[in-house]
Amino acid sequence: MGSVEVAAKSALILCGDYMEDSEAMVPFHFLQALGVRVHCASKGKLSGHKCLTAIHDFVGFELYSELPGHNFVLNATFAELSFESYDMLIIPGGRFTEVLSDDEDVVGIVKKFAHLGKPVITSCHSQIMLVAAGLAKGRNVTGFWSLKPVVELAGGTWVEDDASASVLDLTGCVVDGNILSTIGWPAHAEYLSQLVKLLGGQVQSSSGPKSVLFLCGDFVEDYEMYVPYRALEGLGCKVDAVSPNKKKGDTCVTAVWDDEGAQIWSEKRGHNFYFKTSWDEEIRAENYDCLVVPGGRSPELLLNDKKAVALVQDFAEKDKIVAGVGHGLWLLAAADILRGKTCAASHGVKVIAKAAGAQVANDALCTTDRKLVTAVGWHALPQFVSELADALGLSVVF
């Protein structure tokens, strides 16, 4: 985000095997997009090692399922960290926190952040770390419902989400002093907004509120959908998402594309994405400032839908911002809006982009050419979110 006033802010994400995938990666990408230095470390692991992640979601049973997520690459060595140098501690949810809650060294780090008055961020199940550190007592706390008796036994006050009956309306996020707790990844919009505030940041817009539309379908790439969608919500944008044959309350299944050592990335099932908007007469370019097309396999479906192609063309013809990431460029190519433009494309999309008349910037992770913003894939999401925010006239000042 070129217009960010960088103030040497830094955050530490405490990681471990089977941490919740989205609850680690969304803040990781979002904060980097704001110019924040983010280190991810796990006790007993070195920089470059991987943590297994878990995707927690409801798929038809009474309790959430745990599906395999991305392999998360650590960028810091736990034993070499200087914990006093960070402004914020983030602890994702997931079963790894049950192990860490019984580790005196790690619990001591949580206590140190809290006692220094630095923000401690918990999500879903990681509130157990607040209990272990003695930080829940006298605090207002929320989280996944199974943590309620644990928090109350520890002397905390449990805060229910008023809209918990509907997954479409989950917003549970509570700030009590320097402690933030949230119900989990469905509340990431408010969660990210609070991260900015807790770091002393302020979101500014050069020209008023912004509206963004995402166009997706089944097997959209998980990160490429959720990270920019939640990031833009966290920056105060009105964000909608539509699919030609989906209505409000329907879901899209997402896909996890991951490097597991094969010649091409593997695919696993990701989180469900819940639509809050139906495709109707209000879905027109004039009602939005920007259209975002994430990748995955969903563009292969959408490019055969005349309504989807026409919507992309409508945004381009009205000189609105159009953004594509990963295989999302495939739909932009089908809509013939890449001709004469420079774009960033992965090896899987370069031939398609060139056939559509684009010039591919071979070494670029993300490019902006007038009203077109493109990125090679989910590993370029910090740059993508930053350049998209710039295009929308959004900035964050610390």
Side-chain angles (χ1 to χ4, degrees), residues 100-341:
L100 294 189
S101 68
D102 194 38
D103 187 309
E104 292 183 3
D105 292 338
V106 178
V107 172
I109 293 165
V110 178
K111 290 180 180 178
K112 181 178 292 187
F113 271 85
H115 292 159
L116 290 173
K118 296 182 178 183
V120 175
I121 314 300
T122 61
S123 181
C124 200
H125 286 75
S126 63
Q127 288 80 350
I128 194 171
M129 298 299 292
L130 300 180
V131 174
L135 300 174
K137 186 175 182 179
R139 301 266 190 175
N140 294 312
V141 178
T142 193
F144 190 70
W145 64 64
S146 58
L147 272 294
K148 179 180 180 180
V150 181
V151 168
E152 292 179 337
L153 286 168
T157 299
W158 185 259
V159 180
E160 291 284 357
D161 191 317
D162 292 338
S164 59
S166 171
V167 72
L168 298 178
D169 301 312
L170 286 172
T171 58
C173 190
V174 174
V175 177
D176 190 328
N178 62 324
I179 306 294
L180 182 150
S181 58
T182 181
I183 194 170
W185 60 262
H188 265 154
E190 179 63 17
Y191 168 93
L192 297 181
S193 176
Q194 291 296 336
L195 289 191
V196 173
K197 295 175 183 177
L198 286 167
L199 283 171
Q202 183 179 10
V203 180
Q204 299 178 347
S205 174
S206 63
S207 56
K210 300 297 180 181
S211 296
V212 180
L213 180 66
F214 279 68
L215 178 57
C216 63
D218 283 327
F219 297 105
V220 61
E221 210 289 324
D222 190 293
Y223 286 171
E224 295 173 16
M225 182 67 201
Y226 269 111
V227 172
Y229 184 91
R230 294 304 192 190
L232 291 170
E233 283 188 319
L235 292 174
C237 297
K238 175 183 179 294
V239 186
D240 292 329
V242 292
S243 190
N245 299 312
K246 306 274 189 178
K247 62 183 183 299
K248 181 179 179 179
D250 287 347
T251 61
C252 252
V253 63
T254 70
V256 169
W257 281 12
D258 199 13
D259 183 0
E260 296 186 311
Q263 290 179 316
I264 194 168
W265 287 10
S266 67
E267 179 177 296
K268 294 167 276 190
R269 177 171 176 165
H271 298 86
N272 288 319
F273 179 83
Y274 292 83
F275 287 98
K276 299 180 182 180
T277 307
S278 300
W279 190 301
D280 57 26
E281 66 278 0
E282 297 300 316
I283 303 303
R284 302 193 305 272
E286 54 262 37
N287 294 327
Y288 297 93
D289 300 291
C290 174
L291 176 71
V292 179
V293 183
R297 289 193 292 114
S298 82
E300 294 188 54
L301 171 70
L302 297 174
L303 63 83
N304 285 307
D305 189 291
K306 292 181 180 179
K307 290 192 299 182
V309 173
L311 183 65
V312 175
Q313 292 171 334
D314 190 31
F315 270 81
E317 289 167 1
K318 289 183 170 58
D319 200 32
K320 304 281 186 171
I321 300 164
V322 178
V325 56
H327 280 62
L329 273 70
W330 203 334
L331 178 57
L332 306 190
D336 196 23
I337 70 163
L338 298 181
R339 195 170 304 279
K341 304 286 183 64

Side-chain angles (χ1 to χ4, degrees), residues 13 15 19 21 24-25 28 32 38-42 45-53 70-76 223 258-259 378:
I13 301 180
C15 301
M19 60 185 177
D21 193 356
M25 192 57 91
F28 177 61
Q32 287 184 96
V38 186
H39 281 165
C40 302
S42 178
K45 298 198 179 193
L46 307 178
S47 178
H49 284 182
K50 295 180 179 180
C51 279
L52 302 173
T53 69
H70 297 81
N71 292 296
F72 189 99
V73 180
L74 303 172
N75 64 359
Y223 286 171
D258 199 13
D259 183 0
W378 64 256

